[in-house]
Amino acid sequence: MDPIRILLSDDHEVVRAGYRRLLESTPNIKVIAEVASGEDAYSRYCELHPDVVVMDLTMPGIGGLEASRRILAHDHNARILVFSVHENEVMLNRALDLGVLGYISKRSASQVMIEAVYKVAAGEMYIGQEMMPHLVKRKTSSDSGAVSGLSPREFEVFRLLADSKSVNDIATLLNLSPK
């Protein structure tokens, strides 16, 4: 059996190194590339076509949500596992609406990461235990909050504004006019 080929995307080098060591110490998993931005995640995905993308959400530039959207627009069969510090309903819903197959918290036990990679590689959904209350709420309610009504691009601008980026910085990052 060929190993599961992983693209690891996180802007913190020490985090990538730790997860690389964890993943590669596991049978049938190989990290084929590491990237530190959403733009690089998209370009390396197109170049390498890994089996699973392990994607952080908060990175410089376009970030993990927009990178996931681009990857899935390029290849609707892409298998993306989000691992993030964001343990909230909005980020989970955004990721699932895009079509990612997995979402786990960075505070999850290392075995959870391994289990999630195997499940996502098999094309199965995996949601970490800490995200289950949000998943249940997603299935049982119709969210009509202001943030949930934003388009993916509007949400990306909102996220960058929340990260204290200026209008000119956002325009540059997203290749838009500041107007």
Side-chain angles (χ1 to χ4, degrees), residues 59-71:
M59 295 184 289
I62 64 171
L65 282 176
E66 177 63 15
S68 295
R69 187 194 65 74
R70 291 180 186 184
I71 289 168

Side-chain angles (χ1 to χ4, degrees), residues 90-145:
V90 171
M91 295 303 254
L92 175 65
N93 287 340
R94 286 284 169 170
L96 294 177
D97 289 346
L98 289 173
V100 303
L101 286 178
Y103 196 115
I104 61 173
S105 167
K106 283 189 175 179
R107 69 182 175 100
S108 298
S110 55
Q111 190 56 41
V112 170
M113 169 66 86
I114 302 300
E115 185 179 340
V117 165
Y118 282 131
K119 290 278 191 187
V120 169
E124 298 174 32
M125 181 174 271
Y126 188 95
I127 305 299
Q129 194 65 33
E130 66 284 349
M131 300 305 293
M132 284 301 174
H134 303 303
L135 185 64
V136 169
K137 189 173 179 183
R138 172 185 170 91
K139 300 226 184 252
T140 60
S141 72
S142 59
D143 190 359
S144 60

Side-chain angles (χ1 to χ4, degrees), residues 42-105:
Y42 174 72
S43 65
R44 294 294 280 173
Y45 180 87
C46 293
E47 176 187 338
L48 299 172
H49 298 286
D51 301 314
V52 176
V53 179
V54 177
M55 180 78 73
D56 185 19
L57 293 182
T58 308
M59 295 184 289
I62 64 171
L65 282 176
E66 177 63 15
S68 295
R69 187 194 65 74
R70 291 180 186 184
I71 289 168
L72 288 160
H74 173 76
D75 177 4
H76 69 277
N77 292 317
R79 295 176 177 168
I80 300 174
L81 169 63
V82 168
F83 79 119
S84 179
V85 296
H86 299 287
E87 295 181 23
N88 62 61
E89 181 182 357
V90 171
M91 295 303 254
L92 175 65
N93 287 340
R94 286 284 169 170
L96 294 177
D97 289 346
L98 289 173
V100 303
L101 286 178
Y103 196 115
I104 61 173
S105 167

Side-chain angles (χ1 to χ4, degrees), residues 7-13 16 33-41 44 55-56 58-64:
L7 170 61
L8 188 55
S9 181
D10 191 288
D11 58 328
H12 295 98
E13 186 176 344
R16 290 192 316 267
E34 295 178 26
V35 297
S37 72
E39 291 87 350
D40 290 342
R44 294 294 280 173
M55 180 78 73
D56 185 19
T58 308
M59 295 184 289
I62 64 171

